[in-house]
Amino acid sequence: MNVRLNWISAGELEALKSLGKKVIRGGIVVFYHEDQVYAVDNRCPHLGFPLHMGSLCDGILTCHWHHARFDVCSGGTLDPWADDVPSYEVRVDGGEVWVNPVSRRVEGAEKYKLRLKEGLEQNIGIVIAKAVVGLIEAGVPEQDIARIGIEFGTTYGTGWNAGLTILTAMAQIVDKLDKNGKILALYQGLVHVARGSSGRGARHLLSALPSSDVPFERLTEWYRNCIEVRDTQGAEKVLMTAIMKGIDTKRLSDMMLAAATDHFYLDGGHVFDFHNKAFEALEWVDVSQRERILTSLVPMMASPTRSEELHQWQAPVNLVEPIKQAISELEHNAAQQAKLTDGARQQTALSVEMEQQLLQQLLSDTPEQTITLLRDLLISGTAPAQLAKIVALAAAERIVRFHTQNDFRDWIAVLHTFTYAHAVHERLLQSDEPHLQRAIFHGAVSVYLDRFLNVPTAARPKPSGSATPTDHREMLDLLDLRQQVGPAAQWVVDYMHGSGDPGELLNTLGHALLREDAEFHSFQMYEASVAEYNHWQAVKGSFADKAKETMLLACTRYLVAHAPTARELPHTAKIAWRLHKGERLFEEE
């Protein structure tokens, strides 16, 4: 027999019979079993334990670490949490055993996509991690990977959830991260989708109304009426009718967000934020997923907390009626303007001085004046998105000024206001629907209600004058310790004032998030900070520079306050990447 020159010798067959197994060059283990010779990769594909230390019985090779089982002939696994082990062709020539070092297993993007779906279905983190690593290394675009998770999460479970929000947020910011960061971002998002949706039944969609002749304006009225009385089934049927009617995504978004702003600051801002994330996902998922994504938002409208019913929104200062009055005046003004201009109206931009004045007013103790100022600016034609941008900046400033003497749980209060204000800003950049302007007032009042979390006020760091930090490891080292909010913020200020690269800092902050077992709000914080930083990036001047610094400081302070954690999730991803690269995780002494 003419054995190929690149094959590896495993020695004499008789010696192998005596030993039963032998590890050869290339990390391959050769077995003699039931009068046959078999060769597989010596690393258990689960977590890399040496398979020659396992046992082989009745054709089943068992790893002794986690008891993963494999068909020694094909390498196929009997356990869904373990991958197939690569197997190799074996020949015996003249009493000598030869092994082809090229695995018979063909890996490719489609195989990894299938494994990702299986990992999501079984909620197995290591399988998800290996699939993500394989897909990234195969050059599959990040949003294509996230799309698989969006499809799974909107098919199973009760509707749009925190996991889907995390995944969408991470897909939005992967361009700020290096390869390791991209893997961690997608892996973390997909794991949270699996936790929120796996093991749950498929969500069955309701049918549309028989006739599609109903005008969209009437459908919008019906949808809002159904949401008003918490009739989510009726709302879903109306929504499905609008989709079947061929209404474009922008108008569907306007319809749904009008209902989401008919009441104030629903569920502490989560309702609007979740809607925004779903609409962002719609920009890059398959068109076929539109029905499932949009209808996944309806269940959360069944019983959200309506903030105008909460005591703090009505006493000691009644903030509900001034907002309602301001909205009424805006609607009246819009109607009058429409008669005079046939609905067309030019929007104006705020001057830097007016932006500064508005920011100070938003952070003041006079909410009625804030409401009046916002009303007047909108009536004068100020672009709603610009007002929303300043509200988001004020909300971020609350986080910068948040004193660590506050109850730790209150970090989430200032976080909610910021992520809500960011979501409002993003939607107003995409929409001219007048009803959405109400959300600006809701966000502004939430900024006001957070004022006591700035008493005492945490001092904003000033440049220390010391050498500019250059080693980003220093920042990450601070997150290995607790109560390092102040030092970390100082590091960021010194770095930025020393002309440090903002892109590298955003990547470092991304790793500060993704190397932790972060909770939902931390993902929101990072994504919203990055997005708002980007919106200020093209603006010149000292006010814009300070706004960008505010976003970086807010993000840093929040992430550092919530670190360190056990870091189990990123450890799993690290193992998956090392296994993919062929590294040996276990070595004999």
Side-chain angles (χ1 to χ4, degrees):
M1 182 183 299
N2 182 22
V3 179
R4 299 173 185 175
L5 295 178
N6 63 336
W7 285 39
I8 301 172
S9 173
E12 297 298 320
L13 177 62
E14 291 302 317
L16 182 62
K17 287 182 181 180
S18 175
L19 295 171
K21 57 193 173 185
K22 180 180 182 180
V23 178
I24 63 173
R25 181 164 52 89
I28 298 171
V29 57
V30 184
F31 293 97
Y32 184 83
H33 179 65
E34 295 179 341
D35 300 325
Q36 296 290 327
V37 180
Y38 304 98
V40 297
D41 194 293
N42 194 36
R43 297 178 312 148
C44 175
H46 178 219
L47 291 178
F49 198 75
L51 286 176
H52 77 273
M53 298 176 67
S55 58
L56 180 56
C57 181
D58 297 329
I60 298 297
L61 174 61
T62 302
C63 175
H64 283 182
W65 199 29
H66 292 96
H67 307 290
R69 298 162 298 167
F70 308 94
D71 165 22
V72 74
C73 179
S74 68
T77 182
L78 277 67
D79 300 291
W81 39 267
D83 295 290
D84 297 339
V85 64
S87 62
Y88 304 89
E89 184 181 358
V90 176
R91 294 179 183 178
V92 179
D93 183 25
E96 187 173 3
V97 179
W98 293 86
V99 178
N100 185 348
V102 179
S103 170
R104 290 183 293 202
R105 186 176 72 180
V106 178
E107 295 288 11
E110 293 306 313
K111 174 68 180 293
Y112 288 123
K113 287 179 181 179
L114 177 61
R115 284 299 282 160
L116 176 54
K117 292 177 182 178
E118 292 173 345
L120 290 167
E121 292 167 355
Q122 301 294 326
N123 190 15
I124 304 174
I126 187 63
V127 174
I128 294 172
K130 291 175 182 176
V132 170
V133 170
L135 289 167
I136 289 290
E137 294 289 1
V140 177
E142 292 84 4
Q143 290 183 336
D144 286 357
I145 301 171
R147 189 178 296 128
I148 296 171
I150 297 294
E151 180 177 11
F152 176 80
T154 54
T155 298
Y156 299 97
T158 58
W160 192 273
N161 55 33
L164 288 163
T165 297
I166 292 172
L167 177 58
T168 303
M170 294 301 95
Q172 295 287 100
I173 52 83
V174 286
D175 62 325
K176 302 297 182 184
L177 304 170
D178 56 24
K179 180 186 282 188
N180 186 30
K182 294 178 193 295
I183 291 171
L184 287 169
L186 292 171
Y187 163 65
Q188 290 253 23
L190 289 162
V191 164
H192 284 89
V193 168
R195 290 177 175 178
S197 299
S198 65
R200 293 167 173 79
R203 190 171 52 86
H204 301 289
L205 304 185
L206 298 176
S207 60
L209 297 172
S211 173
S212 60
D213 294 335
V214 183
F216 176 65
E217 291 72 20
R218 178 55 58 87
L219 290 174
T220 298
E221 179 184 345
W222 288 353
Y223 182 83
R224 292 173 66 187
N225 287 341
C226 287
I227 295 300
E228 176 64 28
V229 297
R230 306 180 190 273
D231 174 17
T232 54
Q233 290 185 320
E236 183 174 325
K237 288 186 72 71
V238 172
L239 176 57
M240 286 294 292
T241 304
I243 295 172
M244 294 298 104
K245 188 178 174 66
I247 303 300
D248 62 80
T249 301
K250 178 186 179 301
R251 287 196 292 166
L252 290 173
S253 168
D254 289 344
M255 177 182 81
M256 298 178 74
L257 285 174
T261 53
D262 279 335
H263 291 278
F264 293 20
Y265 198 57
L266 293 178
D267 267 351
H270 281 130
V271 166
F272 198 104
D273 186 61
F274 279 24
H275 275 67
N276 176 56
K277 280 292 165 283
F279 298 140
E280 288 178 344
L282 280 171
E283 296 174 7
W284 42 265
V285 299
D286 294 329
V287 176
S288 61
Q289 293 180 244
R290 191 167 75 140
E291 292 178 18
R292 287 209 163 270
I293 289 177
L294 290 175
T295 57
S296 73
L297 294 165
V298 178
M300 74 178 67
M301 304 303 290
S303 56
T305 301
R306 297 170 174 178
S307 290
E308 70 269 25
E309 298 172 352
L310 299 178
H311 175 79
Q312 60 265 35
W313 284 68
Q314 298 194 37
V317 179
N318 188 328
L319 300 169
V320 174
E321 290 307 317
I323 291 178
K324 289 182 176 179
Q325 180 62 33
I327 296 299
S328 176
E329 293 173 15
L330 281 171
E331 291 173 348
H332 175 74
N333 179 74
Q336 294 298 111
Q337 289 292 328
K339 292 178 182 179
L340 297 173
T341 62
D342 295 326
R345 191 180 185 191
Q346 187 69 33
Q347 292 185 344
T348 60
L350 291 180
S351 66
V352 174
E353 292 74 17
M354 192 62 224
E355 286 183 323
Q356 293 173 320
Q357 180 182 333
L358 176 57
L359 176 63
Q360 293 307 312
Q361 182 58 50
L362 286 162
L363 294 169
S364 74
D365 292 333
T366 54
E368 299 97 327
Q369 293 181 23
T370 300
I371 293 169
T372 299
L373 178 58
L374 289 171
R375 178 205 64 192
D376 292 345
L377 289 171
L378 286 168
I379 287 177
S380 69
T382 303
Q386 189 175 12
L387 298 180
K389 182 180 182 180
I390 303 301
V391 174
L393 177 59
E397 187 66 35
R398 289 285 191 223
I399 301 174
V400 172
R401 299 182 184 186
F402 183 92
H403 204 289
T404 53
Q405 290 183 16
N406 286 306
D407 188 298
F408 183 78
R409 291 170 296 181
D410 284 333
W411 278 105
I412 294 180
V414 289
L415 174 281
H416 282 164
T417 303
F418 175 56
T419 54
Y420 174 83
H422 162 64
V424 173
H425 182 201
E426 292 292 341
R427 282 305 101 202
L428 286 172
L429 286 170
Q430 306 294 326
S431 174
D432 55 3
E433 167 56 51
H435 287 103
L436 270 61
Q437 297 176 19
R438 299 177 297 189
I440 300 173
F441 292 91
H442 303 163
V445 167
S446 188
V447 170
Y448 163 74
L449 292 173
D450 290 341
R451 69 197 183 284
F452 286 120
L453 298 176
N454 290 164
V455 179
T457 300
R460 189 185 187 103
K462 297 179 180 179
S464 65
S466 58
T468 302
T470 57
D471 185 0
H472 287 250
R473 187 71 233 177
E474 294 175 358
M475 165 61 80
L476 294 176
D477 287 345
L478 288 172
L479 277 80
D480 291 333
L481 306 171
R482 297 196 181 278
Q483 300 179 353
Q484 298 300 304
V485 172
Q490 185 65 60
W491 192 97
V492 168
V493 167
D494 287 340
Y495 179 83
M496 293 305 297
H497 282 264
S499 301
D501 182 356
E504 291 185 14
L505 178 56
L506 290 174
N507 179 61
T508 298
L509 290 175
H511 280 278
L513 163 71
L514 296 166
R515 72 175 191 163
E516 303 291 346
D517 297 328
E519 46 86 44
F520 166 62
H521 300 98
S522 295
F523 292 98
Q524 285 185 299
M525 183 71 229
Y526 178 70
E527 188 268 342
S529 300
V530 170
E532 291 298 323
Y533 180 93
N534 287 342
H535 289 313
W536 286 100
Q537 184 74 336
V539 184
K540 304 298 182 182
S542 59
F543 183 65
D545 290 342
K546 186 174 181 181
K548 287 182 283 188
E549 182 181 274
T550 295
M551 296 305 164
L552 295 173
L553 284 173
C555 182
T556 299
R557 297 185 86 246
Y558 190 92
L559 294 181
V560 174
H562 292 77
T565 62
R567 300 176 181 171
E568 295 178 6
L569 278 177
H571 180 66
T572 299
K574 181 179 180 180
I575 290 173
W577 200 3
R578 291 184 63 189
L579 286 171
H580 185 89
K581 292 189 292 185
E583 295 182 13
R584 291 187 175 91
L585 275 68
F586 299 90
E587 297 283 359
E588 290 186 278
E589 296 294 336

